[in-house]
Amino acid sequence: MILSRLQVYPAFVNILTSFGAEDGPYTDGRSGFHGDMVKDETGISTFETAYMLKYVECHGRPGTTNPWSVRQMAVYQNFNDSTKLSSCLLIQTSVRAQKGISEAVQDGDTARIFDHWSCLHELYLGTLSDNWAAYIKCLDVKIADINLSVRFTKLGADGLNRVTFKHLQQLSEYSDLLIRLLHALQLNLEVLELLSAETTRRQAGGKRDLAKQYQDFQAALKTCITEHTFLKHHASLVHDSAERLTVVTFLSMGFIRVKSSAGVLHLEATVDMWIYLAIAAPLTLVTLLGWLLWVRRRENLEAREQQHKQKFKDV
């Protein structure tokens, strides 16, 4: 009903489905962008903009060692360049963006948001890079703590090594979080590049007296793209460190012994290593098969949803 009243373009439904209840991290890999500019017979332009972006916020859940989570927000805007009327649909907006919109409304300065189609999006861009660096640093610190345990490990009085399988589990978890973080940053970069290209197209077909507005918005886009590029590079370095440390941690667990005989190094696998492989290999295989089945199930559900939507359109 709301979508029909706002005359939202049909493809926006695909973005909306990303905000439903999910039984896994499926929505991490989804994004979208749509931009259009239509002129009527009198030359009045109407701008339609929609996209999904990822952001980082503190989740506030007690009892967790990682206080951050990657979330997503969606924006739909239909803006009339003559009347300055803007129809908007804002979904799961970040706390800081909500605060910026609320302050503008309370201060009676709504022109700061609705004077031009780009004003609302510029407000979003100003908050998009928040907390990413803190999240990356949080994971970097946790990986560095494991690195210290590995580098200064030694046998205790009971003959047991301080490096355990738990360290491998933690490294695997942090590595997975970094992969998802990198993918989220890449999705944001793609959406920002598309928004920049759409802005260039609108500027070419728009009013010349708005050149300054477009220049400022492109500058904000460029700043956000640069910040995301640096964040992605930093996260890549941390992820590479975690991958290297995983190998070192495995060797530090005492599964492989290095012996020297007549100037020749010999590697000897302990009985514990074969026990570890006998347990870990089947579990890994089961996990991969379960993941593949889950992905296939989601693809089938999406295919049925698309068929249902097509039938609905045909009707």
Side-chain angles (χ1 to χ4, degrees), residues 164-171 253:
T164 65
F165 181 64
K166 183 178 180 181
H167 291 93
L168 282 178
Q169 289 179 311
Q170 290 174 338
L171 283 172
M253 291 176 67

Side-chain angles (χ1 to χ4, degrees), residues 239-258:
H239 178 258
D240 291 343
S241 175
E243 292 294 299
R244 290 192 299 268
L245 187 58
T246 299
V247 177
V248 176
T249 302
F250 180 79
L251 295 175
S252 300
M253 291 176 67
F255 290 146
I256 299 178
R257 294 173 181 169
V258 181

Side-chain angles (χ1 to χ4, degrees), residues 3 20 109 133 139 151 186 216:
L3 299 183
D109 189 17
L139 295 175
R151 290 185 180 277
Q186 180 59 38
D216 291 344

